[in-house]
């Protein structure tokens, strides 16, 4: 009950504040700004979720989580950053296509090398058998056990891409690397530290398929951020200092002064043969 009352008060406050803003800016000016239209949608969704039972708590939480986006039109620096992210989406898609080619190459290599090797001998409870006398699939089945593949494997291209995605999250990637090291061949029981050179495959994918891809995406976003900042300065007629904090402005002004410093050499008459340098601003 208390939570519903607080939410009702917040919705009323946001609605009244939005009506005042529409009255102050005017209908034409307010509805021509995409950020102000976003604010209307957020307030509208908040009202709808409060008065209508949407029947899904997850959807309700998602709607509530977008409320902080109302701060974007109020802070210029956040608005420029959000615009840069939106403008970089087409370029990021192109980067994703390039990265997908890298992933596809690694997936094909993984299928060629590890297809059918990510399997082990398990009992009825799917616990791996530690009997070293069992060396292959045929002996495992003769002893009454089961032969099952790991959840992440390279048996086909789809499973290989999912395994690479698992590695890319850097969550449990060491388990997959251990499976590559233990793989002996198709229909053979894995053996610890059998092929330590297989670690290179996982490490190379993390460097090329993860780190380099993230750097490319970050580079695209940074490039779009500078373009958005230039457009903001030209459209609003404001200097870059309007997007900086007070300490950043002091640092920026100091760097501008240092860039204007010129090193001038002069030779005083009384000091023949010596060069005296002084700084002229």
């Amino acid at each position: 009950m208390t939570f519903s009352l607080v939410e009702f008060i917040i919705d009323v406050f946001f609605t009244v504040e939005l009506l005042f803003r529409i009255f102050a800016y005017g209908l034409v000016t307010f509805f021509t700004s995409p950020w102000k239209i976003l604010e209307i949608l957020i307030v509208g969704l908040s009202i709808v979720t409060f008065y209508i039972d949407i029947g899904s708590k997850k959807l309700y939480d998602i709607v509530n989580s977008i409320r902080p986006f109302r701060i974007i039109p109020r802070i210029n620096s956040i608005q420029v950053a959000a615009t840069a992210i939106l403008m970089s989406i087409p370029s990021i898609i192109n980067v994703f296509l390039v990265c997908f080619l890298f992933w596809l190459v690694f997936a094909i290599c993984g299928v060629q090398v590890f297809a059918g090797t990510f399997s082990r001998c398990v009992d009825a409870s799917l616990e791996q058998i530690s009997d070293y006398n069992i060396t292959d699939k045929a002996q495992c089945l003769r002893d009454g056990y089961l032969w099952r593949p790991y959840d992440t494997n390279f048996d086909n291209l789809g499973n290989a891409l999912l395994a690479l995605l698992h590695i890319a999250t850097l969550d449990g990637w060491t388990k997959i690397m251990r499976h590559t090291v233990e793989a002996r061949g198709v229909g053979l029981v894995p053996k610890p530290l059998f092929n330590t050179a297989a670690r290179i495959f996982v490490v190379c994918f993390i460097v090329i398929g993860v780190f380099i891809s993230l750097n490319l995406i970050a580079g695209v976003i940074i490039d779009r951020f500078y373009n958005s900042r230039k457009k903001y300065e030209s459209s609003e007629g404001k200097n870059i200092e309007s997007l900086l904090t007070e300490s950043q402005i002091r640092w920026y002004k100091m760097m501008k002064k240092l860039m204007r410093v010129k090193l001038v050499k002069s030779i005083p008459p009384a000091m023949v043969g010596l060069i005296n340098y002084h700084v002229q601003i």
Side-chain angles (χ1 to χ4, degrees):
M1 184 64 181
T2 305
F3 178 77
S4 300
L5 179 61
V6 173
E7 187 176 4
F8 173 76
I9 295 174
I10 293 176
D11 289 339
V12 171
F13 176 79
F14 284 162
T15 304
V16 173
E17 188 255 355
L18 180 62
L19 293 176
F20 275 113
R21 285 168 58 84
I22 294 175
F23 179 77
Y25 284 95
L27 291 176
V28 178
T29 304
F30 196 87
F31 283 94
T32 53
S33 174
W35 296 113
K36 293 181 174 61
I37 294 176
L38 175 65
E39 185 176 356
I40 294 175
L41 292 176
I42 294 174
V43 175
L45 288 174
S46 300
I47 296 175
V48 169
T49 55
F50 180 78
Y51 289 101
I52 299 178
D53 186 11
I54 57 180
S56 175
K57 186 177 183 302
K58 290 185 178 180
L59 184 59
Y60 180 79
D61 294 337
I62 292 174
V63 173
N64 288 332
S65 65
I66 65 176
R67 287 182 177 178
F69 286 103
R70 296 181 69 252
I71 200 174
I72 294 179
R74 292 171 170 77
I75 302 178
N76 294 330
S77 58
I78 297 179
Q79 185 175 342
V80 173
T83 304
I85 294 176
L86 294 176
M87 290 177 57
S88 61
I89 290 177
S91 300
I92 290 177
I93 293 176
N94 295 332
V95 173
F96 276 145
L97 293 177
V98 175
C99 295
F100 179 75
L101 293 178
F102 288 119
W103 282 43
L104 190 61
V105 170
F106 276 97
I108 294 174
C109 293
V111 172
Q112 293 295 323
V113 178
F114 301 111
T117 62
F118 277 34
S119 300
R120 80 281 193 200
C121 186
V122 296
D123 55 15
S125 60
L126 299 182
E127 293 291 335
Q128 186 169 351
I129 302 300
S130 59
D131 188 0
Y132 294 102
N133 295 324
I134 300 176
T135 58
D136 54 18
K137 177 181 179 180
Q139 188 175 1
C140 173
L141 297 177
R142 282 197 307 268
D143 292 347
Y145 298 113
L146 303 175
W147 187 260
R148 292 290 184 269
Y150 291 109
D151 294 334
T152 54
N153 55 70
F154 291 87
D155 292 346
N156 52 64
L157 187 60
N159 290 347
L161 289 174
L162 290 177
L164 294 180
L165 179 62
H166 196 172
I167 297 174
T169 59
L170 300 180
D171 183 18
W173 65 274
T174 55
K175 182 185 295 184
I176 300 178
M177 185 170 65
R178 186 177 71 251
H179 294 165
T180 60
V181 173
E182 295 177 350
R184 297 171 54 212
V186 180
L188 298 178
V189 174
K191 182 179 179 181
L193 301 177
F194 179 78
N195 184 14
T196 56
R199 298 171 179 171
I200 300 176
F201 174 80
V202 179
V203 173
C204 289
F205 173 75
I206 292 176
V207 174
I208 299 176
V210 180
F211 293 156
I212 294 180
S213 300
L214 291 178
N215 287 333
L216 290 175
I217 295 173
V220 169
I221 295 176
I222 292 173
D223 179 68
R224 293 299 179 181
F225 173 77
Y226 284 113
N227 293 335
S228 300
R229 191 180 65 182
K230 291 179 181 179
K231 290 183 180 180
Y232 173 81
E233 293 175 3
S234 60
S235 62
E236 299 291 335
K238 297 180 181 180
N239 194 6
I240 185 179
E241 297 179 4
S242 61
L243 304 176
L244 303 179
T245 61
E246 184 178 353
S247 60
Q248 290 174 337
I249 291 175
R250 291 198 301 267
W251 181 86
Y252 177 71
K253 291 182 178 180
M254 180 186 67
M255 294 302 296
K256 286 178 65 176
K257 290 182 180 180
L258 292 177
M259 293 299 294
R260 290 197 300 265
V261 170
K262 296 180 180 179
L263 190 61
V264 180
K265 60 181 180 179
S266 60
I267 304 177
M271 301 176 62
V272 180
L274 298 178
I275 301 178
N276 183 26
Y277 291 91
H278 69 275
V279 176
Q280 178 180 356
I281 300 179

